[in-house]
Amino acid sequence: QVQLVESGGGLVQAGGSLRLTCAPSGNIFSIDAMGWYRQAPGKQREVVATITAGGRTNYVDSVKGRFTITRDNAKNTVYLQMNSLKPEDTGVYYCNGVYYTSSYTTENAWGQGTQVTVSS
């Protein structure tokens, strides 16, 4: 089964920026609705941003105006641009979404996560 692979995490100072990338590990037909989630130490996983197949986006209040989710359908890739990072943005960021394995068959997958650490 094709998995989603995240990249782009790292250590950054408060106020800095990172761009996360999520792409499938193998060949797929296309991606559908996708989202980014994060899990801070000792906390439950929460949704950060989502994007529909049509490009409609939604964000958790704490990142509005700072994070931007986008998609490149030609590359079957989703991005999360994170600006003005704060220490409370620290956590493991996961990609999740639906993709088509054919024109009518879908699968749902999670990535393995990428660590984002924001120092104060």
Side-chain angles (χ1 to χ4, degrees):
Q1 184 176 2
V2 173
Q3 299 297 316
L4 299 176
V5 180
E6 304 98 336
S7 61
L11 172 64
V12 64
Q13 289 188 333
S17 298
L18 287 173
R19 189 176 83 152
L20 305 184
T21 299
C22 171
S25 61
N27 292 324
I28 64 171
F29 191 72
S30 65
I31 56 174
D32 195 67
M34 304 291 290
W36 286 96
Y37 297 71
R38 68 184 177 192
Q39 188 165 18
K43 295 187 177 181
Q44 290 188 333
R45 190 175 299 186
E46 65 171 349
V47 59
V48 175
T50 59
I51 186 166
T52 68
R56 180 176 297 180
T57 59
N58 196 27
Y59 301 90
V60 66
D61 286 345
S62 60
V63 308
K64 286 180 179 178
R66 300 188 298 120
F67 290 11
T68 304
I69 185 171
T70 57
R71 60 192 292 148
D72 184 335
N73 292 331
K75 296 181 179 180
N76 289 325
T77 299
V78 177
Y79 306 94
L80 184 67
Q81 178 66 44
M82 306 186 294
N83 299 328
S84 302
L85 282 161
K86 304 176 180 180
E88 50 264 43
D89 294 319
T90 294
V92 179
Y93 283 70
Y94 299 89
C95 177
N96 171 259
V98 176
Y99 61 88
Y100 284 85
T101 56
S102 69
S103 60
Y104 53 85
T105 304
T106 61
E107 298 282 348
N108 184 284
W110 285 89
Q112 81 289 348
T114 185
Q115 177 70 45
V116 171
T117 303
V118 185
S119 63
S120 57

PDB file of all heavy atoms in Angstrom, residues 4-9 18-24 36 70 75-82 93-95 112 114:
ATOM      1  N   LEU A   4       2.174   7.927   2.703  1.00  0.00           N
ATOM      2  CA  LEU A   4       2.503   9.332   2.515  1.00  0.00           C
ATOM      3  C   LEU A   4       3.809   9.625   3.247  1.00  0.00           C
ATOM      4  O   LEU A   4       4.027   9.117   4.349  1.00  0.00           O
ATOM      5  CB  LEU A   4       1.375  10.220   3.041  1.00  0.00           C
ATOM      6  CG  LEU A   4       0.027  10.032   2.344  1.00  0.00           C
ATOM      7  CD1 LEU A   4      -1.041  10.884   3.017  1.00  0.00           C
ATOM      8  CD2 LEU A   4       0.131  10.385   0.863  1.00  0.00           C
ATOM      9  N   VAL A   5       4.651  10.413   2.650  1.00  0.00           N
ATOM     10  CA  VAL A   5       5.965  10.710   3.212  1.00  0.00           C
ATOM     11  C   VAL A   5       6.099  12.203   3.416  1.00  0.00           C
ATOM     12  O   VAL A   5       5.962  12.974   2.463  1.00  0.00           O
ATOM     13  CB  VAL A   5       7.089  10.197   2.291  1.00  0.00           C
ATOM     14  CG1 VAL A   5       8.447  10.518   2.903  1.00  0.00           C
ATOM     15  CG2 VAL A   5       6.937   8.701   2.041  1.00  0.00           C
ATOM     16  N   GLU A   6       6.359  12.593   4.670  1.00  0.00           N
ATOM     17  CA  GLU A   6       6.556  13.999   4.987  1.00  0.00           C
ATOM     18  C   GLU A   6       8.046  14.328   5.006  1.00  0.00           C
ATOM     19  O   GLU A   6       8.876  13.471   5.327  1.00  0.00           O
ATOM     20  CB  GLU A   6       5.969  14.365   6.361  1.00  0.00           C
ATOM     21  CG  GLU A   6       4.511  14.044   6.557  1.00  0.00           C
ATOM     22  CD  GLU A   6       4.295  12.741   7.281  1.00  0.00           C
ATOM     23  OE1 GLU A   6       5.210  11.881   7.233  1.00  0.00           O
ATOM     24  OE2 GLU A   6       3.226  12.551   7.898  1.00  0.00           O
ATOM     25  N   SER A   7       8.353  15.564   4.708  1.00  0.00           N
ATOM     26  CA  SER A   7       9.724  16.056   4.815  1.00  0.00           C
ATOM     27  C   SER A   7       9.677  17.547   5.091  1.00  0.00           C
ATOM     28  O   SER A   7       8.632  18.183   4.931  1.00  0.00           O
ATOM     29  CB  SER A   7      10.506  15.769   3.530  1.00  0.00           C
ATOM     30  OG  SER A   7       9.896  16.417   2.428  1.00  0.00           O
ATOM     31  N   GLY A   8      10.821  18.090   5.506  1.00  0.00           N
ATOM     32  CA  GLY A   8      10.918  19.530   5.701  1.00  0.00           C
ATOM     33  C   GLY A   8      10.929  19.989   7.143  1.00  0.00           C
ATOM     34  O   GLY A   8      11.083  21.182   7.407  1.00  0.00           O
ATOM     35  N   GLY A   9      10.759  19.063   8.081  1.00  0.00           N
ATOM     36  CA  GLY A   9      10.792  19.455   9.481  1.00  0.00           C
ATOM     37  C   GLY A   9      12.209  19.815   9.914  1.00  0.00           C
ATOM     38  O   GLY A   9      13.168  19.636   9.168  1.00  0.00           O
ATOM     39  N   LEU A  18       9.344  27.353   8.092  1.00  0.00           N
ATOM     40  CA  LEU A  18       9.625  26.029   7.549  1.00  0.00           C
ATOM     41  C   LEU A  18       8.544  25.706   6.526  1.00  0.00           C
ATOM     42  O   LEU A  18       7.415  26.193   6.625  1.00  0.00           O
ATOM     43  CB  LEU A  18       9.608  24.954   8.637  1.00  0.00           C
ATOM     44  CG  LEU A  18      10.767  24.886   9.623  1.00  0.00           C
ATOM     45  CD1 LEU A  18      10.461  23.863  10.706  1.00  0.00           C
ATOM     46  CD2 LEU A  18      12.066  24.516   8.906  1.00  0.00           C
ATOM     47  N   ARG A  19       8.910  24.870   5.562  1.00  0.00           N
ATOM     48  CA  ARG A  19       7.917  24.377   4.620  1.00  0.00           C
ATOM     49  C   ARG A  19       7.928  22.862   4.650  1.00  0.00           C
ATOM     50  O   ARG A  19       8.964  22.233   4.360  1.00  0.00           O
ATOM     51  CB  ARG A  19       8.165  24.870   3.196  1.00  0.00           C
ATOM     52  CG  ARG A  19       6.993  24.527   2.269  1.00  0.00           C
ATOM     53  CD  ARG A  19       7.153  25.076   0.871  1.00  0.00           C
ATOM     54  NE  ARG A  19       7.984  24.230   0.028  1.00  0.00           N
ATOM     55  CZ  ARG A  19       7.866  24.151  -1.285  1.00  0.00           C
ATOM     56  NH1 ARG A  19       6.945  24.867  -1.916  1.00  0.00           N
ATOM     57  NH2 ARG A  19       8.691  23.390  -1.980  1.00  0.00           N
ATOM     58  N   LEU A  20       6.801  22.278   4.969  1.00  0.00           N
ATOM     59  CA  LEU A  20       6.653  20.830   4.989  1.00  0.00           C
ATOM     60  C   LEU A  20       6.092  20.352   3.652  1.00  0.00           C
ATOM     61  O   LEU A  20       5.277  21.040   3.032  1.00  0.00           O
ATOM     62  CB  LEU A  20       5.724  20.397   6.114  1.00  0.00           C
ATOM     63  CG  LEU A  20       6.073  20.873   7.532  1.00  0.00           C
ATOM     64  CD1 LEU A  20       5.097  20.277   8.530  1.00  0.00           C
ATOM     65  CD2 LEU A  20       7.509  20.535   7.881  1.00  0.00           C
ATOM     66  N   THR A  21       6.542  19.178   3.261  1.00  0.00           N
ATOM     67  CA  THR A  21       6.094  18.573   2.014  1.00  0.00           C
ATOM     68  C   THR A  21       5.548  17.185   2.300  1.00  0.00           C
ATOM     69  O   THR A  21       6.101  16.438   3.119  1.00  0.00           O
ATOM     70  CB  THR A  21       7.254  18.474   1.013  1.00  0.00           C
ATOM     71  OG1 THR A  21       7.744  19.789   0.731  1.00  0.00           O
ATOM     72  CG2 THR A  21       6.811  17.821  -0.280  1.00  0.00           C
ATOM     73  N   CYS A  22       4.474  16.829   1.632  1.00  0.00           N
ATOM     74  CA  CYS A  22       3.870  15.495   1.767  1.00  0.00           C
ATOM     75  C   CYS A  22       3.649  14.933   0.373  1.00  0.00           C
ATOM     76  O   CYS A  22       2.955  15.549  -0.451  1.00  0.00           O
ATOM     77  CB  CYS A  22       2.549  15.602   2.515  1.00  0.00           C
ATOM     78  SG  CYS A  22       1.580  14.082   2.537  1.00  0.00           S
ATOM     79  N   ALA A  23       4.218  13.767   0.122  1.00  0.00           N
ATOM     80  CA  ALA A  23       4.094  13.139  -1.196  1.00  0.00           C
ATOM     81  C   ALA A  23       3.924  11.637  -1.024  1.00  0.00           C
ATOM     82  O   ALA A  23       4.409  11.068  -0.044  1.00  0.00           O
ATOM     83  CB  ALA A  23       5.320  13.445  -2.049  1.00  0.00           C
ATOM     84  N   PRO A  24       3.282  10.972  -1.942  1.00  0.00           N
ATOM     85  CA  PRO A  24       3.116   9.519  -1.846  1.00  0.00           C
ATOM     86  C   PRO A  24       4.431   8.792  -2.089  1.00  0.00           C
ATOM     87  O   PRO A  24       5.292   9.286  -2.815  1.00  0.00           O
ATOM     88  CB  PRO A  24       2.089   9.200  -2.933  1.00  0.00           C
ATOM     89  CG  PRO A  24       2.229  10.302  -3.921  1.00  0.00           C
ATOM     90  CD  PRO A  24       2.600  11.509  -3.136  1.00  0.00           C
ATOM     91  N   TRP A  36      -2.947  18.370   7.257  1.00  0.00           N
ATOM     92  CA  TRP A  36      -1.792  18.307   8.146  1.00  0.00           C
ATOM     93  C   TRP A  36      -2.287  18.290   9.595  1.00  0.00           C
ATOM     94  O   TRP A  36      -3.202  19.057   9.952  1.00  0.00           O
ATOM     95  CB  TRP A  36      -0.879  19.516   7.932  1.00  0.00           C
ATOM     96  CG  TRP A  36      -0.090  19.458   6.675  1.00  0.00           C
ATOM     97  CD1 TRP A  36      -0.392  20.038   5.475  1.00  0.00           C
ATOM     98  CD2 TRP A  36       1.146  18.765   6.483  1.00  0.00           C
ATOM     99  NE1 TRP A  36       0.580  19.746   4.554  1.00  0.00           N
ATOM    100  CE2 TRP A  36       1.534  18.967   5.143  1.00  0.00           C
ATOM    101  CE3 TRP A  36       1.971  17.992   7.309  1.00  0.00           C
ATOM    102  CZ2 TRP A  36       2.722  18.436   4.610  1.00  0.00           C
ATOM    103  CZ3 TRP A  36       3.129  17.470   6.779  1.00  0.00           C
ATOM    104  CH2 TRP A  36       3.486  17.694   5.449  1.00  0.00           C
ATOM    105  N   THR A  70      -1.143  24.253   0.701  1.00  0.00           N
ATOM    106  CA  THR A  70      -1.346  24.300  -0.742  1.00  0.00           C
ATOM    107  C   THR A  70      -1.163  22.908  -1.314  1.00  0.00           C
ATOM    108  O   THR A  70      -0.668  22.006  -0.644  1.00  0.00           O
ATOM    109  CB  THR A  70      -0.357  25.263  -1.430  1.00  0.00           C
ATOM    110  OG1 THR A  70       0.988  24.863  -1.115  1.00  0.00           O
ATOM    111  CG2 THR A  70      -0.578  26.698  -0.982  1.00  0.00           C
ATOM    112  N   LYS A  75       1.890  17.041  -9.207  1.00  0.00           N
ATOM    113  CA  LYS A  75       2.915  16.276  -8.485  1.00  0.00           C
ATOM    114  C   LYS A  75       2.315  15.417  -7.373  1.00  0.00           C
ATOM    115  O   LYS A  75       3.064  14.746  -6.659  1.00  0.00           O
ATOM    116  CB  LYS A  75       3.943  17.229  -7.890  1.00  0.00           C
ATOM    117  CG  LYS A  75       4.727  18.019  -8.914  1.00  0.00           C
ATOM    118  CD  LYS A  75       5.751  18.929  -8.234  1.00  0.00           C
ATOM    119  CE  LYS A  75       6.559  19.712  -9.247  1.00  0.00           C
ATOM    120  NZ  LYS A  75       7.560  20.595  -8.597  1.00  0.00           N
ATOM    121  N   ASN A  76       1.000  15.482  -7.201  1.00  0.00           N
ATOM    122  CA  ASN A  76       0.341  14.748  -6.104  1.00  0.00           C
ATOM    123  C   ASN A  76       0.998  15.072  -4.765  1.00  0.00           C
ATOM    124  O   ASN A  76       1.253  14.178  -3.949  1.00  0.00           O
ATOM    125  CB  ASN A  76       0.368  13.239  -6.355  1.00  0.00           C
ATOM    126  CG  ASN A  76      -0.562  12.816  -7.477  1.00  0.00           C
ATOM    127  OD1 ASN A  76      -1.636  13.399  -7.661  1.00  0.00           O
ATOM    128  ND2 ASN A  76      -0.143  11.831  -8.244  1.00  0.00           N
ATOM    129  N   THR A  77       1.262  16.338  -4.558  1.00  0.00           N
ATOM    130  CA  THR A  77       2.007  16.776  -3.380  1.00  0.00           C
ATOM    131  C   THR A  77       1.248  17.886  -2.666  1.00  0.00           C
ATOM    132  O   THR A  77       0.598  18.719  -3.303  1.00  0.00           O
ATOM    133  CB  THR A  77       3.401  17.274  -3.796  1.00  0.00           C
ATOM    134  OG1 THR A  77       4.108  16.191  -4.401  1.00  0.00           O
ATOM    135  CG2 THR A  77       4.193  17.768  -2.597  1.00  0.00           C
ATOM    136  N   VAL A  78       1.366  17.870  -1.344  1.00  0.00           N
ATOM    137  CA  VAL A  78       0.742  18.891  -0.504  1.00  0.00           C
ATOM    138  C   VAL A  78       1.830  19.546   0.335  1.00  0.00           C
ATOM    139  O   VAL A  78       2.776  18.879   0.776  1.00  0.00           O
ATOM    140  CB  VAL A  78      -0.330  18.281   0.415  1.00  0.00           C
ATOM    141  CG1 VAL A  78      -0.930  19.330   1.328  1.00  0.00           C
ATOM    142  CG2 VAL A  78      -1.426  17.634  -0.413  1.00  0.00           C
ATOM    143  N   TYR A  79       1.689  20.835   0.530  1.00  0.00           N
ATOM    144  CA  TYR A  79       2.684  21.596   1.277  1.00  0.00           C
ATOM    145  C   TYR A  79       2.034  22.303   2.467  1.00  0.00           C
ATOM    146  O   TYR A  79       0.845  22.608   2.454  1.00  0.00           O
ATOM    147  CB  TYR A  79       3.333  22.655   0.389  1.00  0.00           C
ATOM    148  CG  TYR A  79       3.916  22.115  -0.890  1.00  0.00           C
ATOM    149  CD1 TYR A  79       3.179  22.113  -2.075  1.00  0.00           C
ATOM    150  CD2 TYR A  79       5.211  21.593  -0.922  1.00  0.00           C
ATOM    151  CE1 TYR A  79       3.712  21.613  -3.254  1.00  0.00           C
ATOM    152  CE2 TYR A  79       5.754  21.091  -2.089  1.00  0.00           C
ATOM    153  CZ  TYR A  79       4.991  21.104  -3.253  1.00  0.00           C
ATOM    154  OH  TYR A  79       5.530  20.602  -4.406  1.00  0.00           O
ATOM    155  N   LEU A  80       2.858  22.574   3.464  1.00  0.00           N
ATOM    156  CA  LEU A  80       2.432  23.422   4.575  1.00  0.00           C
ATOM    157  C   LEU A  80       3.530  24.451   4.806  1.00  0.00           C
ATOM    158  O   LEU A  80       4.601  24.108   5.296  1.00  0.00           O
ATOM    159  CB  LEU A  80       2.176  22.618   5.842  1.00  0.00           C
ATOM    160  CG  LEU A  80       1.621  23.431   7.022  1.00  0.00           C
ATOM    161  CD1 LEU A  80       0.209  23.923   6.702  1.00  0.00           C
ATOM    162  CD2 LEU A  80       1.624  22.610   8.312  1.00  0.00           C
ATOM    163  N   GLN A  81       3.260  25.680   4.408  1.00  0.00           N
ATOM    164  CA  GLN A  81       4.188  26.765   4.654  1.00  0.00           C
ATOM    165  C   GLN A  81       3.897  27.338   6.030  1.00  0.00           C
ATOM    166  O   GLN A  81       2.767  27.774   6.298  1.00  0.00           O
ATOM    167  CB  GLN A  81       4.036  27.856   3.593  1.00  0.00           C
ATOM    168  CG  GLN A  81       4.939  29.050   3.792  1.00  0.00           C
ATOM    169  CD  GLN A  81       6.411  28.714   3.636  1.00  0.00           C
ATOM    170  OE1 GLN A  81       6.791  27.996   2.700  1.00  0.00           O
ATOM    171  NE2 GLN A  81       7.254  29.209   4.531  1.00  0.00           N
ATOM    172  N   MET A  82       4.908  27.325   6.881  1.00  0.00           N
ATOM    173  CA  MET A  82       4.735  27.781   8.261  1.00  0.00           C
ATOM    174  C   MET A  82       5.630  28.985   8.502  1.00  0.00           C
ATOM    175  O   MET A  82       6.856  28.873   8.437  1.00  0.00           O
ATOM    176  CB  MET A  82       5.073  26.653   9.237  1.00  0.00           C
ATOM    177  CG  MET A  82       4.299  25.368   8.975  1.00  0.00           C
ATOM    178  SD  MET A  82       4.581  24.107  10.233  1.00  0.00           S
ATOM    179  CE  MET A  82       6.324  23.749   9.960  1.00  0.00           C
ATOM    180  N   TYR A  93       4.573  16.602  13.031  1.00  0.00           N
ATOM    181  CA  TYR A  93       3.571  16.950  12.031  1.00  0.00           C
ATOM    182  C   TYR A  93       3.340  15.767  11.105  1.00  0.00           C
ATOM    183  O   TYR A  93       4.286  15.189  10.561  1.00  0.00           O
ATOM    184  CB  TYR A  93       4.019  18.174  11.241  1.00  0.00           C
ATOM    185  CG  TYR A  93       3.829  19.459  12.017  1.00  0.00           C
ATOM    186  CD1 TYR A  93       4.616  19.744  13.125  1.00  0.00           C
ATOM    187  CD2 TYR A  93       2.854  20.387  11.649  1.00  0.00           C
ATOM    188  CE1 TYR A  93       4.431  20.907  13.865  1.00  0.00           C
ATOM    189  CE2 TYR A  93       2.664  21.558  12.375  1.00  0.00           C
ATOM    190  CZ  TYR A  93       3.452  21.804  13.483  1.00  0.00           C
ATOM    191  OH  TYR A  93       3.263  22.962  14.195  1.00  0.00           O
ATOM    192  N   TYR A  94       2.078  15.435  10.943  1.00  0.00           N
ATOM    193  CA  TYR A  94       1.683  14.300  10.125  1.00  0.00           C
ATOM    194  C   TYR A  94       0.822  14.757   8.951  1.00  0.00           C
ATOM    195  O   TYR A  94       0.000  15.657   9.086  1.00  0.00           O
ATOM    196  CB  TYR A  94       0.860  13.303  10.941  1.00  0.00           C
ATOM    197  CG  TYR A  94       1.573  12.701  12.119  1.00  0.00           C
ATOM    198  CD1 TYR A  94       1.537  13.310  13.377  1.00  0.00           C
ATOM    199  CD2 TYR A  94       2.277  11.498  11.990  1.00  0.00           C
ATOM    200  CE1 TYR A  94       2.172  12.756  14.460  1.00  0.00           C
ATOM    201  CE2 TYR A  94       2.922  10.933  13.082  1.00  0.00           C
ATOM    202  CZ  TYR A  94       2.866  11.567  14.309  1.00  0.00           C
ATOM    203  OH  TYR A  94       3.499  11.003  15.381  1.00  0.00           O
ATOM    204  N   CYS A  95       1.009  14.072   7.853  1.00  0.00           N
ATOM    205  CA  CYS A  95       0.171  14.279   6.679  1.00  0.00           C
ATOM    206  C   CYS A  95      -0.848  13.142   6.620  1.00  0.00           C
ATOM    207  O   CYS A  95      -0.529  11.981   6.907  1.00  0.00           O
ATOM    208  CB  CYS A  95       1.043  14.273   5.426  1.00  0.00           C
ATOM    209  SG  CYS A  95       0.150  14.440   3.885  1.00  0.00           S
ATOM    210  N   GLN A 112       4.549   9.141   8.286  1.00  0.00           N
ATOM    211  CA  GLN A 112       5.242   8.710   9.501  1.00  0.00           C
ATOM    212  C   GLN A 112       5.536   9.872  10.427  1.00  0.00           C
ATOM    213  O   GLN A 112       5.919   9.674  11.584  1.00  0.00           O
ATOM    214  CB  GLN A 112       6.554   8.006   9.128  1.00  0.00           C
ATOM    215  CG  GLN A 112       7.727   8.939   8.820  1.00  0.00           C
ATOM    216  CD  GLN A 112       7.578   9.695   7.510  1.00  0.00           C
ATOM    217  OE1 GLN A 112       6.707   9.395   6.700  1.00  0.00           O
ATOM    218  NE2 GLN A 112       8.444  10.689   7.305  1.00  0.00           N
ATOM    219  N   THR A 114       6.979  14.177  10.756  1.00  0.00           N
ATOM    220  CA  THR A 114       8.241  14.904  10.721  1.00  0.00           C
ATOM    221  C   THR A 114       8.268  15.865  11.914  1.00  0.00           C
ATOM    222  O   THR A 114       7.280  16.532  12.205  1.00  0.00           O
ATOM    223  CB  THR A 114       8.424  15.655   9.385  1.00  0.00           C
ATOM    224  OG1 THR A 114       9.722  16.248   9.349  1.00  0.00           O
ATOM    225  CG2 THR A 114       7.379  16.735   9.170  1.00  0.00           C
TER     226      THR A 114
END
